[in-house]
Amino acid sequence: MKLLISNGHLIDPAAPENTGMNVLIEDGKVTAWIKPTEQQPEVDDVFDASGLLVAPGFIDMHVHLREPGQEHKETIASGCAAAVAGGFTSVCPMPNTSPVNDNAAITRYMIEQGERAGLANVLPIGAITKSSDGSELAEMGEMKAAGAVAVSDDGRPVPNAGIMRRAMQYAKDFDLPVIDHCEDKSLSTGGVMHEGKMSLLLGLKGMPALAEEIDVVRDILIAKETGAHIHIAHVSTKGGIEAVRRAKNEGIIVTCEVTPHHFTLTDAAVEGYDTNTKMAPPLRSDEHLEAVIEGIKDGTIDAIASDHAPHHADEKALEYDRAPFGINGLETTVGLALTELVHRGVIGLERFVELCSSNPARILRLTDRGSLTAGYRADITILDPDLEWTYINSESRSKSRNSPFDGRKFRGCVVATIVGGRFVFKK
Ligand SMILES: [Zn+2]
């Protein structure tokens, strides 16, 4: 099976010249770039990408697909359908399923469910500790052999510095990045939004920025001592970003990601008590949002990840205090990044592709993804950077509807998604 993507604007951060090349795909891999003026090969199918961007497939390194255990919120199949509609060719589900993904059997099960769905690649993240309860290390080597690409106790951060140190020593032996949800629960427990003027005004208990910052600093110190690779998940605070920036300058192996809601919304959105503005880490105040934008601009932030966290409508219908944390994000991430970052001039298209594809691939050691150089997997995201569209929650492919972006207009959208040389989504 030969496919030619012609007349598109190819954006590949790995390539020096990256415009106006046709991309030839054979048997699920990229085999060549051909100038449109040259003789074109005989192929089975041609996709005309005139006016469109052709990028290496986007990798969402932080999602919650809820299977096994909470299939009423999402399944791996429904989550992958939302992923490819959102332009993602690979997704990394966090291990906070039920049971927790802390062993090779569950890692394998998740991968198999992804293969059965036949949409996005599913690259699971294994737990750091058994049941993510923070006490005993999980079998990282076995999970890696089964296909896990990182370890994390996302949502239930390891409270004990001694365990975290052992975890990093162990993860380093297996060349696995440790993805760190930084939240000192002794500072944040009971909080439902960012602690500040807004939480006082609304009469809601706050989670201080310090809860994140203290853990970022602690775990960077442990990474420095152990030489392990630490990746800070959904960084949301000024102090957290500054700590990462300093650590990078010192040569510590640290990377970090940001979610679209943290570069788009502030805690002002909580006014009105819409439970679709409740997530952990919470929406922060202006100064933190500005620090996030600065981190995106100057390269401190390595990746954009949705932190897609579906919840059933009945749960989100509870009062603000009692509703669960988390929002959907797979189908709005690309629209938000293009609208809020690219079109506002914060970053260029090449940096956008780096944040969504080549950097996540590098962080997760996915040596055959994140570029469209010959020999790489034919995982491709095709975008119209200027097409305006409106996100309608009720049309989502996800099983859940908990997005604060219902009815929001975006500029820039996903036109087609190709996984392993096969179209899995076309608008
Ligand atoms: Zn988290």
Side-chain angles (χ1 to χ4, degrees), residues 262-278:
H262 287 113
F263 64 66
T264 308
L265 300 174
T266 65
D267 55 356
V270 181
E271 198 181 8
Y273 302 93
D274 176 2
T275 55
N276 291 326
T277 62
K278 181 176 175 183

Side-chain angles (χ1 to χ4, degrees), residues 65-383:
L65 299 183
R66 305 302 189 206
E67 184 181 356
Q70 292 189 301
E71 288 85 351
H72 64 292
K73 298 182 180 195
E74 195 79 287
T75 61
I76 288 172
S78 66
C80 287
V84 297
F88 292 103
T89 56
S90 297
V91 287
C92 304
M94 283 294 173
N96 64 335
T97 45
S98 182
V100 166
N101 178 20
D102 61 4
N103 65 73
I106 296 174
T107 300
R108 264 196 300 274
Y109 171 81
M110 291 166 104
I111 294 170
E112 281 162 14
Q113 289 299 84
E115 285 167 353
R116 214 159 286 157
L119 297 165
N121 307 297
V122 173
L123 310 171
I125 294 165
I128 295 174
T129 59
K130 286 185 181 161
S131 305
S132 286
D133 68 4
S135 50
E136 204 183 325
L137 294 185
E139 287 299 341
M140 294 180 193
E142 288 174 18
M143 288 188 289
K144 180 172 175 168
V149 293
V151 288
S152 181
D153 277 353
D154 184 53
R156 281 182 250 174
V158 180
N160 182 307
I163 301 276
M164 195 54 158
R165 184 183 184 216
R166 289 229 318 276
M168 282 201 221
Q169 287 163 340
Y170 197 41
K172 191 190 172 207
D173 286 344
F174 295 109
D175 193 31
L176 282 166
V178 175
I179 301 182
D180 199 4
H181 172 127
C182 291
E183 179 186 346
D184 185 320
K185 297 264 186 185
S186 72
L187 290 162
S188 66
T189 295
V192 296
M193 68 175 292
H194 174 63
E195 182 183 286
K197 274 194 206 118
M198 217 44 211
S199 63
L200 271 176
L201 201 72
L202 297 176
L204 293 172
K205 187 162 186 314
M207 307 157 91
L210 180 67
E212 173 174 300
E213 291 161 355
I214 209 163
D215 251 10
V216 172
V217 170
R218 181 196 80 173
D219 291 344
I220 283 173
L221 286 172
I222 300 174
K224 181 181 179 178
E225 195 237 24
T226 57
H229 173 186
I230 186 145
H231 174 81
I232 310 295
H234 42 53
V235 67
S236 67
T237 58
K238 191 169 180 236
I241 291 162
E242 282 169 359
V244 170
R245 187 179 289 124
R246 275 197 306 273
K248 283 186 166 187
N249 286 337
E250 256 191 77
I252 300 166
I253 309 165
V254 56
T255 51
C256 70
E257 75 197 23
V258 71
T259 74
H261 41 279
H262 287 113
F263 64 66
T264 308
L265 300 174
T266 65
D267 55 356
V270 181
E271 198 181 8
Y273 302 93
D274 176 2
T275 55
N276 291 326
T277 62
K278 181 176 175 183
M279 69 287 284
L283 298 173
R284 304 284 184 186
S285 57
D286 284 324
E287 62 163 338
H288 296 288
L289 184 135
E290 280 160 24
V292 164
I293 298 282
E294 196 47 45
I296 291 171
K297 241 187 200 167
D298 76 2
T300 303
I301 289 167
D302 297 278
I304 293 172
S306 72
D307 195 5
H308 178 79
H311 288 293
H312 192 267
D314 292 347
E315 297 164 295
K316 276 292 198 184
L318 296 171
E319 50 267 48
Y320 207 91
D321 281 334
R322 292 170 61 211
F325 292 97
I327 60 165
N328 270 12
L330 278 165
E331 289 156 291
T332 47
T333 293
V334 165
L336 284 165
L338 283 169
T339 307
E340 301 293 328
L341 301 177
V342 175
H343 290 303
R344 281 177 191 270
V346 176
I347 53 170
L349 283 167
E350 199 161 307
R351 169 82 174 129
F352 161 68
V353 171
E354 196 178 278
L355 287 160
C356 295
S357 180
S358 50
N359 278 354
R362 177 177 55 84
I363 292 164
L364 300 169
R365 290 95 160 126
L366 305 172
T367 51
D368 57 352
R369 286 165 232 238
S371 171
L372 292 179
T373 310
Y376 276 67
R377 287 176 58 99
D379 289 354
I380 303 175
T381 302
I382 299 176
L383 306 160

